[in-house]
Amino acid sequence: MTYELTILVLNALLCLAFPWAYNYAYAKQPGVGGKRLMGNRDALPERTGMAARGARAHQNHLENLVPFAIIVLAAHVIGVSNSVTVACATIFLAARIAHGGLYLAGITRVPGINGVRSIAYFVSLFSMLVYASQLFLA
């Protein structure tokens, strides 16, 4: 398996990890509990805090994972793999981990940097676009 495909699989595993994190937080919410989450989930209270942020982070990751997967798989099919694609795949994964972690924790700024979560998002987006450019340069 190529490095880029490995990074794609790691992104898929990250996607699978989100529900574990936000459902754990959701089960701790008043009126929810683990037993109710194992049922049909009818009439459960709205997610709040980390449970709500985690669900949004998961949705955001899914929205970015689909185009990333298409780019990686297309590159694999046409045989494009170089130092740029390897770097972009690595940066994409790191930025998505940062974005997800910041989102779950509710961190939008760090000292001296406003919008740190948005920066992580745009880094992942830029890495995808640079990766995709390699398909057209081949």
Side-chain angles (χ1 to χ4, degrees):
M1 180 164 33
T2 65
Y3 180 84
E4 295 92 334
L5 287 175
T6 301
I7 294 294
L8 179 58
V9 170
L10 291 174
N11 271 285
L13 293 174
L14 175 62
C15 192
L16 290 173
F18 276 112
W20 287 79
Y22 68 76
N23 281 325
Y24 176 79
Y26 189 42
K28 300 263 185 222
Q29 273 186 220
V32 180
K35 288 184 181 180
R36 290 192 70 196
L37 283 178
M38 289 185 219
N40 290 331
R41 299 184 183 194
D42 294 331
L44 284 174
E46 186 174 326
R47 294 176 188 275
T48 61
M50 187 175 128
R53 290 190 309 271
R56 291 190 302 271
H58 185 220
Q59 181 65 38
N60 185 280
H61 190 68
L62 282 169
E63 291 167 359
N64 286 275
L65 182 57
V66 171
F68 180 72
I70 292 168
I71 293 164
V72 170
L73 294 172
H76 183 72
V77 167
I78 63 175
V80 173
S81 177
N82 56 41
S83 60
V84 174
T85 62
V86 167
C88 287
T90 304
I91 292 167
F92 180 83
L93 177 60
R96 295 310 307 170
I97 290 170
H99 182 269
L102 291 165
Y103 217 145
L104 284 168
I107 298 170
T108 58
R109 66 181 316 262
V110 295
I113 304 174
N114 287 326
V116 69
R117 189 183 75 221
S118 295
I119 292 169
Y121 166 77
F122 284 112
V123 166
S124 72
L125 178 63
F126 184 70
S127 70
M128 258 196 296
L129 295 173
V130 173
Y131 195 137
S133 74
Q134 296 301 294
L135 283 85
F136 300 104
L137 299 174

